[in-house]
Amino acid sequence: MDTLVFWILAGTAVLSALAVVVLKNPMNSVVALLVTLLVTAGLYLQMGAFVIALFQVILYVGAVLVLFLFVIMTLDLKSSRERPVLSPRGLAAAFTAGIFFIAGAGWFASRGGFFPKTAVSPGVPGNGPGIREIALDLFTGHLLVFELASVLLLAAAVAALVIVRKERSRP
Amino acid sequence: MSLSSFLWILPALPALGVLVNGFFGTSWRERKIASVSVGSVGLALAFALVFAADLFSRLPGDRRLSMSLYRWLSDGSLTVDLGLFLDPLSMVMVFVVLFVGFLIHLYSAGYMKGDPGYRRYFVFLNLFIFFMLLLVLADNLVLTFVGWEGVGLCSYLLIGFWYEKTSASDAGRKAFVVNRVGDFGFLLGILLAAVVFGTVNYGEIARLLGSDPAVAPGITAAMALLLFLGAIGKSAQFPLHVWLPDAMEGPSPVSALIHGATMVNAGVYLLCRISPLLEAAPAVFPVIASVGLATVLYASLSALGQRDIKRLLAYSTVSQIGYMFVAVGCGLYSAGMFHLMAHGIFKGLLFLAAGAVIHALDGRQDLEEMGGLGKELPGVSLTFVAGTLALAGVFPLSGFFSKDAILWGSLGRYGLLFWIAAFAGALVTALYSGKLLAAFLGEKRFEGSLHRPGTVVVVPLLVLALSTLAAGLPGLPLFTEETFFARFLGMPAHTFLAGEHTLEGVLMVSQLGLIVIVLCAAARFFTVSRKAPVSEALASGFGVDRLYERLFVRPLKTMARFCFSVIDSRFVDGLVNGFGALSMALGTLVAGYQSGFFRRYAASLAGGAVALIALSVWFQGGF
Amino acid sequence: MSLESVMVTGIVLFIIGASGFLLRGNAIVLLLCIEVMLNAVNLILVGFARYLYGTEGQVFVFIIMTVSAAEAAVGLAIVVALVRLFGTADMTRINLLKG
C-alpha cells in the first residue's frame, strides 16, 4: 500500500516535470509546475516530513508560483519561434539522456545499490522531527545560516526593486 | 726601473687618440682633431726612438725588451698573455709604422680637409696604428692574430671610407673577405702550434724547437705553411692578391699607409718572426720563394697594363712584396726586412705624391691624361721622381741596395734560372717605372688648371724623399752579409757564394746598367706615344678577378640569395609569424567562449559541474 | 518505499529539470526548470533526513527553499527588465555580443 502510493506520487511528479519542460505556452508550464510542487509535498508527507511539506505548500506554491503567475500575466509575451522540445532533435536528446541514466543506474545496481548495506539505517519509525525540534535546531545550532538567509532575502528584495525600476530620464 | 715596463706606452698613445677623438671629437674643429691624432702618433714615435736608442746601446745578444701586461687566457696546459716584446726585428717594424705613419697623419690633415667624415677618418687611422703596433709588439701568436684581425678591420673601414660609393664599400668587403681566407690558415696554424707545442709564445716555441727536435718535420712544415697562408692573404700575394688593386678606392693616404707601407708588410714580418719554425722545416723555403717569384712576375706585368695611377702602384706593391717573400724564401731575413723598410718609405712617398697629383688634377687618375706635370708642380714632381727611381732600383737610392741583395741571394741559393726570372721582374719594374715617369715629362696632356697642394701636404713628401736617399745607408757596406742593417737585426743569416766578390760586383753594375737603360727607354716611349697598345690581359691582371667572380663569388651570392628568400623568408619568418598566428588563433578560440549565446553558457555550466563532481568523487575513491 | 527509490525519483526529476534548462529558450520556462531542479534536490535531502537520524536534513531543506524564493524573485525581476528592453523573452534571440 505504502509503496503503491509512493509510486503513484512519484510517477505524477515525473510526468508533470516533463510537462513543464515540454509544453510550449509558459502558462501551461506554470500550471504543470504547480502540480509537481503539490505532488512533491505529498511525497514529503509520506516520508513524515510534515514541516517541510507545510513550507513547500506555503512558500513554493503560495508565494513563488503566484509570483510567476503574476509576472506572466503582467508581461505581454509574444509567442516565440522556439523549436518545440518534442522535435526529433529533442527526442534524440532525451533518448541519449535515457541511455546514460540507465547505464548509470545499472552500474550502481551492479555494485549493490547506492549504499553499502550496512550504512543506511532502516529509518526513523513513525514521523520525523516536529516543528519544535526543527525550530530549536534552526535557532541554536544553525543560527548563523538563518541570519545569512534573512540577509539574503533582504538583498534579493532590494535587488528586485532596483532591477525593475524604470530609467528616469533627466530633464 | 728598466725601460721594458714602459713598452705599453707605444700602443697606448694611438689608442688614447682613438678614445679622445671618438668620444669628444664630435663637436671639435678639424684642426683640433688632427692635432690630437697626429700628436699621439708623434709622441709614440718619440718614445720609439728612445727605445731604439736603448736597443742600440746594448750588446747584440742582449737586444730585447719585454713586458707582460696581463694573463689573458689560462687553461692548465696553455696560457696566453698580453705580452709585449721589442727586439731589433720588431724595432724595424715599429720604426717604419710610426715614422711613415706620423708623416701620413700629417699629410692627411691637409689632404682630408673639408671632408665630412674628417673625425671618423682620424679615429680609424689611429685605431689602425694601435692594432699595427699590437701586431708587431706581440710576444705570442694569439696576440699577433688580434692585431692582425684589427688591422684587417681598419683596412675594411678605411677602404670603404667613402661608403656612399658602391665601388668603395664593395672593395672594402672584398678586402675583408679575401683576407679571411688567409686568416683561416693563420688560425689553423695557431691551433696546430698550441696542440703540438702546448704554447703560442714565440720565445718558448723557439726554445722547444731548439732543444727537442722530436717534433716531426712534417708537422712543423704544416704549421709553417698554414701561417704562410695567412701571410699570403695579408700581404696580397698571388693568388690572394685580388683585394689590393680594388683597395685603391680608399683615400690616398690610406693607400700609402696601409697598402703601401705597413699592413701589407705584416705577412713578411710574421714569416721573419717564425723563423725558428722555418729553420726547423727547411722544405718550406722553396715554396715561399716560388710564390714570391710568381707574384713578382705576375704583378709587375699587370702593373704595366694599368691606366689608373693608383692601380699601377697597387700592383707594384704586390710585386715588391713578392721580392720580400723571395728574400725570406732564400733564408735572407735581413735582406727581406731591409727591402721592407726601403719599400715602406718609397712606396708611401709614391702614394702620397700620387694623391697630391690626383688632388691637383681634381680627381683624375688616368695616366694617359697626364703629362708635363714636372713643369707645373715642381715640388711634388721631384719627390715623385725620387720615389720612382727608388722603385726601379737606381743607385744611390734605397731600392738599389735592397733589391740587389735579394737578387744576389737568390742566385746563390736557387741558381741561374731563378735569378733570370727575378731579374726579369726587375726589368719589368723598370718598364712601368718609366711609364710613371712619363706623366711628368713631355707636353701638357691635361686640361684645366691645377690645385696647388698646401704645405702640410708637401712637407711629408719632402721628408720621405730625403729618407729614401738616407735609407740606403744601412745597406752598407756592400759585398758582405755584415751590413749595418743585418748586424742590427741579428737574425740568422745564410751565406751563399761568400767571397765571390768580383762576380757580385760585375753583376751589380750590369744589373744597374740594364735597369737604367730600360727605364730611360720606357720613359721616352711612354712620353711620346701614350696610346701604347696594352693587352686586355695585362690590364685586368690576367683575368684573375673574373675567374674568382665566376668560381667563388657567384655561387656564394646565389646561395646567400637562396638563404634569404627561401630559408629566411619562409622558414624563419614563417616560424615567427606562425607563433603570432597561433596566439591569435588561440585567442579567437577562447573569445568564442564569450559568444552571448545563452544555451552555450548553460551547457558549459552543466558540463563543468558534472566534471567537477566526477573529479571529486574520483579523488575520494568513490568509483 | 526505500531510500533508493526516493533517490531515483529525485535524480530523474533533476535530469528532467536540467535538460529543460538546456533545451528551452523562454526565460520564464527556464526559471521554472530551475525550480524543478531545486525541488528534486529537496526531495533527495528529505529522503536522507528520513533515513538518518537528526534534524539537519530538514533544516537544510528549509534554507534551500528560502534561497530558492529569493532567487525566483530576482530572476523574475530580471525577466521583466529583459522583456522591457528587448521586447521578447526568448533567450536564444537576445545577444548583444559580437561572438
Side-chain angles (χ1 to χ4, degrees):
Chain A
M1 180 61 195
D2 213 15
T3 340
L4 183 63
V5 171
F6 172 80
W7 282 117
I8 293 176
L9 287 173
T12 319
V14 171
L15 282 172
S16 52
L18 274 172
V20 170
V21 170
V22 163
L23 293 172
K24 266 189 275 190
N25 196 333
M27 193 62 175
N28 298 345
S29 299
V30 172
V31 173
L33 185 66
L34 169 69
V35 174
T36 316
L37 292 174
L38 287 174
V39 168
T40 318
L43 279 171
Y44 292 150
L45 282 172
Q46 205 199 8
M47 285 195 273
F50 299 123
V51 184
I52 300 298
L54 181 70
F55 283 131
Q56 171 91 342
V57 173
I58 293 178
L59 275 179
Y60 263 118
V61 179
V64 175
L65 210 62
V66 171
L67 186 59
F68 269 105
L69 275 172
F70 269 139
V71 170
I72 289 184
M73 303 254 198
T74 321
L75 294 177
D76 181 21
L77 294 174
K78 295 187 210 69
S79 60
S80 58
R81 225 151 298 181
E82 280 181 70
R83 191 190 294 125
V85 184
L86 284 180
S87 62
R89 207 155 170 232
L91 281 175
F95 185 64
T96 322
I99 297 284
F100 274 116
F101 177 71
I102 292 171
W107 185 70
F108 269 116
S110 70
R111 292 172 89 239
F114 286 118
F115 312 102
K117 284 303 172 194
T118 53
V120 179
S121 63
V124 179
N127 301 330
I131 193 158
R132 191 163 188 272
E133 287 85 12
I134 289 182
L136 268 170
D137 195 14
L138 185 63
F139 289 112
T140 54
H142 298 96
L143 185 59
L144 180 62
V145 183
F146 175 78
E147 296 297 337
L148 286 175
S150 43
V151 171
L152 179 66
L153 279 172
L154 178 65
V158 172
L161 271 172
V162 168
I163 291 172
V164 171
R165 188 155 59 131
K166 280 212 181 107
E167 284 283 319
R168 226 166 292 175
S169 51
R170 310 241 169 227
Chain B
M1 181 74 100
S2 99
L3 266 184
S4 306
S5 39
F6 291 106
L7 267 179
W8 59 273
I9 292 186
L10 281 179
L13 279 168
L16 191 66
V18 169
L19 291 172
V20 168
N21 267 333
F23 285 118
F24 302 115
T26 26
S27 50
W28 285 354
R29 280 185 337 241
E30 285 182 354
R31 180 166 272 193
K32 208 167 172 184
I33 297 173
S35 352
V36 168
S37 205
V38 174
S40 62
V41 178
L43 263 176
L45 180 61
F47 270 99
L49 290 174
V50 170
F51 287 124
D54 181 70
L55 279 187
F56 266 119
S57 66
R58 296 186 188 204
L59 298 169
D62 186 36
R63 287 192 177 137
R64 57 171 64 91
L65 294 168
S66 67
M67 69 173 298
S68 179
L69 281 169
Y70 175 66
R71 170 136 298 181
W72 187 15
L73 304 166
S74 173
D75 161 44
S77 52
L78 180 67
T79 48
V80 176
D81 288 346
L82 278 176
L84 300 177
F85 177 71
L86 187 64
D87 70 346
L89 178 63
S90 42
M91 187 73 236
V92 171
M93 286 297 291
V94 166
F95 171 70
V96 171
V97 169
L98 286 176
F99 177 63
V100 179
F102 172 69
L103 289 171
I104 289 178
H105 270 74
L106 205 57
Y107 176 96
S108 304
Y111 188 80
M112 298 296 289
K113 202 181 293 209
D115 190 298
Y118 200 80
R119 181 186 70 97
R120 188 164 54 101
Y121 176 84
F122 276 103
V123 168
F124 289 159
L125 212 59
N126 265 20
L127 193 65
F128 171 82
I129 300 280
F130 166 70
F131 277 122
M132 192 70 208
L133 285 174
L134 204 64
L135 194 161
V136 166
L137 290 171
D139 73 350
N140 60 71
L141 279 167
V142 175
L143 194 60
T144 309
F145 191 65
V146 171
W148 191 271
E149 291 291 297
V151 296
L153 170 73
C154 293
S155 167
Y156 161 79
L157 289 171
L158 284 165
I159 292 174
F161 181 70
W162 291 311
Y163 53 82
E164 291 96 2
K165 254 200 321 174
T166 339
S167 53
S169 56
D170 281 349
R173 200 175 53 213
K174 184 175 184 178
F176 198 78
V177 170
V178 175
N179 244 251
R180 258 287 171 245
V181 177
D183 294 347
F184 176 64
F186 195 148
L187 207 48
L188 283 179
I190 296 180
L191 292 174
L192 195 56
V195 163
V196 168
F197 292 119
T199 173
V200 288
N201 188 299
Y202 294 124
E204 285 178 33
I205 292 179
R207 244 194 314 276
L208 282 170
L209 279 172
S211 63
D212 171 32
V215 183
I219 304 269
T220 35
M223 229 181 287
L225 282 174
L226 285 170
L227 294 171
F228 178 52
L229 185 60
I232 293 180
K234 190 63 86 180
S235 294
Q237 297 297 287
F238 189 89
L240 293 176
H241 64 282
V242 287
W243 62 273
L244 194 52
D246 283 0
M248 297 299 115
E249 294 279 344
S252 294
V254 168
S255 307
L257 181 62
I258 301 184
H259 311 122
T262 50
M263 186 178 99
V264 289
N265 297 330
V268 183
Y269 169 74
L270 181 70
L271 286 178
C272 290
R273 256 279 168 260
I274 59 169
S275 57
L277 205 59
L278 297 178
E279 299 288 331
V284 179
F285 283 118
V287 178
I288 300 178
S290 5
V291 170
L293 186 64
T295 309
V296 165
L297 290 170
Y298 166 82
S300 47
L301 285 171
S302 302
L304 198 53
Q306 299 299 316
R307 278 176 68 155
D308 183 324
I309 189 175
K310 279 179 76 172
R311 277 184 88 95
L312 191 152
L313 288 175
Y315 274 110
S316 160
T317 307
V318 174
S319 91
Q320 292 305 306
I321 298 180
Y323 270 118
M324 297 176 216
F325 273 60
V326 166
V328 172
C330 297
L332 298 167
Y333 306 109
S334 51
M337 289 304 291
F338 186 46
H339 195 56
L340 187 153
M341 191 178 76
H343 174 264
I345 295 177
F346 68 66
K347 202 34 99 27
L349 168 62
L350 282 171
F351 269 114
L352 290 184
V357 164
I358 294 170
H359 191 65
L361 287 172
D362 262 334
R364 280 170 290 181
Q365 299 181 203
D366 195 335
L367 273 172
E368 298 197 359
E369 289 179 22
M370 301 184 194
L373 283 170
K375 287 182 232 141
E376 302 285 331
L377 300 169
V380 173
S381 311
L382 202 59
T383 54
F384 197 98
V385 167
T388 317
L389 289 178
L391 175 59
V394 174
F395 187 89
L397 295 163
S398 52
F400 167 74
F401 296 99
S402 52
K403 200 172 292 187
D404 186 75
I406 297 174
L407 287 172
W408 176 247
S410 67
L411 175 62
R413 172 100 186 212
Y414 292 115
L416 193 61
L417 228 57
F418 194 92
W419 173 87
I420 288 178
F423 186 56
L427 287 177
V428 179
T429 308
L431 273 174
Y432 69 70
S433 308
K435 189 170 178 181
L436 276 177
L437 282 180
F440 297 91
L441 310 168
E443 291 145 22
K444 203 171 114 137
R445 286 226 180 182
F446 53 88
E447 288 113 39
S449 59
L450 303 174
H451 283 143
R452 312 279 156 166
T455 340
V456 193
V457 163
V458 174
V459 165
L461 290 176
L462 286 173
V463 173
L464 281 173
L466 286 170
S467 314
T468 318
L469 284 171
L473 292 175
L476 296 172
L478 302 169
F479 298 126
T480 64
E481 287 288 323
E482 292 289 303
T483 58
F484 289 131
F485 187 82
R487 264 188 290 172
F488 176 66
L489 202 57
M491 295 201 68
H494 304 242
T495 45
F496 313 102
L497 301 178
E500 294 275 350
H501 292 312
T502 13
L503 182 60
E504 198 178 343
V506 167
L507 219 51
M508 207 181 289
V509 172
S510 44
Q511 276 167 193
L512 182 61
L514 273 171
I515 287 176
V516 170
I517 291 172
V518 170
L519 185 65
C520 296
R524 173 165 309 154
F525 176 72
F526 281 109
T527 321
V528 169
S529 63
R530 196 62 60 76
K531 294 275 180 218
V534 152
S535 68
E536 168 68 22
L538 285 184
S540 71
F542 297 97
V544 174
D545 265 322
R546 234 201 328 262
L547 181 67
Y548 284 171
E549 163 86 22
R550 212 171 288 152
L551 214 53
F552 300 117
V553 176
R554 236 177 258 168
L556 274 173
K557 274 196 183 159
T558 319
M559 209 160 63
R561 235 191 310 262
F562 173 75
C563 283
F564 174 68
S565 63
V566 174
I567 297 180
D568 199 39
S569 299
R570 295 223 210 118
F571 288 158
V572 176
D573 284 354
L575 201 64
V576 173
N577 290 341
F579 273 120
L582 188 67
S583 310
M584 279 190 40
L586 277 175
T588 316
L589 194 68
V590 175
Y593 213 59
Q594 304 282 326
S595 59
F597 287 126
F598 174 81
R599 213 165 263 168
R600 181 174 284 182
Y601 292 163
S604 56
L605 256 176
V610 169
L612 272 173
I613 292 172
L615 266 175
S616 55
V617 174
W618 175 296
F619 285 128
Q620 303 246 344
F623 279 130
Chain C
M1 183 173 67
S2 65
L3 184 54
E4 273 97 353
S5 24
V6 175
M7 280 208 64
V8 167
T9 319
I11 289 172
V12 170
L13 281 175
F14 188 87
I15 290 175
I16 291 173
S19 328
F21 185 76
L22 291 173
L23 292 172
R24 293 298 305 258
N26 189 308
I28 306 268
V29 176
L30 290 176
L31 287 170
L32 291 176
C33 291
I34 293 175
E35 296 302 324
V36 169
M37 281 194 275
L38 282 166
N39 263 278
V41 168
N42 281 350
L43 186 63
I44 295 178
L45 275 171
V46 169
F48 273 117
R50 170 79 174 88
Y51 284 93
L52 304 170
Y53 288 119
T55 56
E56 289 192 345
Q58 300 196 11
V59 169
F60 197 18
V61 172
F62 184 63
I63 302 294
I64 291 181
M65 282 187 191
T66 313
V67 170
S68 157
E71 164 252 320
V74 176
L76 283 170
I78 292 176
V79 170
V80 167
L82 270 178
V83 170
R84 209 181 276 158
L85 202 57
F86 292 103
T88 174
D90 187 353
M91 294 304 292
T92 54
R93 284 202 268 142
I94 297 175
N95 188 359
L96 282 177
L97 289 180
K98 298 203 182 102

